[in-house]
Amino acid sequence: MSRPTKPDTPDTPTPSTPDEVPARPAPAAAAPEPTPSADTGSSHEPYPGAGFFHGGRTSPIVQAMARRLAQEGHWPTTQPAGPDWTRGHRRAFAAFQRTLRPKEGGDVSGIPDEVAWDRLQVPRVSPAPREES
């Protein structure tokens, strides 16, 4: 019985014996939470990037942000803030952005930007990155 063969590729040498079969690379791991910015020792959550905030996102970072918005008086409802990114989170962050910027003067989209995020000072809920020695 003959074994089916695959076409050779330049990256994969053909083994001459079954003992010389090259090892397959490990599958790629799932994408981790956003890589924090240069902030390594802060007690505040580093800015995760604008792309982090989208429908379907569930994260303790979103919930910590919403708690801070409530503390600042920008959570307009008595409903508790959850970890799922919603229009309520976006409206609350837009209200916070409006307090930071003069009328008609900047981004008030409700998607966190780095300046507003740093001003909000969201407490760290993600593990701090380890320092390599």
Side-chain angles (χ1 to χ4, degrees), residues 54-56 65 69 74-76 84-95 109-111:
H54 60 79
M65 176 201 74
L69 289 167
H74 299 290
W75 192 254
D84 300 326
W85 178 256
T86 65
R87 287 180 296 210
H89 290 83
R90 188 172 179 156
R91 282 190 300 268
F93 204 89
S109 66
I111 300 297

Side-chain angles (χ1 to χ4, degrees), residues 7 14 18 31 33 40-41 65 79 83 93-98 111 117 122:
T14 305
E33 285 289 316
T40 57
M65 176 201 74
Q79 183 177 15
F93 204 89
F96 177 69
Q97 285 172 320
R98 281 191 286 281
I111 300 297
W117 183 265
V122 176

Side-chain angles (χ1 to χ4, degrees), residues 42-117:
S42 175
S43 62
H44 298 111
E45 194 64 48
Y47 179 62
F52 179 79
F53 301 98
H54 60 79
R57 168 66 72 189
T58 299
S59 172
I61 295 171
V62 172
Q63 190 167 24
M65 176 201 74
R67 284 189 199 125
R68 279 293 297 135
L69 289 167
Q71 290 170 350
E72 294 291 322
H74 299 290
W75 192 254
T77 177
T78 57
Q79 183 177 15
D84 300 326
W85 178 256
T86 65
R87 287 180 296 210
H89 290 83
R90 188 172 179 156
R91 282 190 300 268
F93 204 89
F96 177 69
Q97 285 172 320
R98 281 191 286 281
T99 65
L100 299 177
R101 298 182 169 100
K103 190 172 187 171
E104 306 289 328
D107 178 21
V108 291
S109 66
I111 300 297
D113 59 274
E114 192 164 9
V115 171
W117 183 265

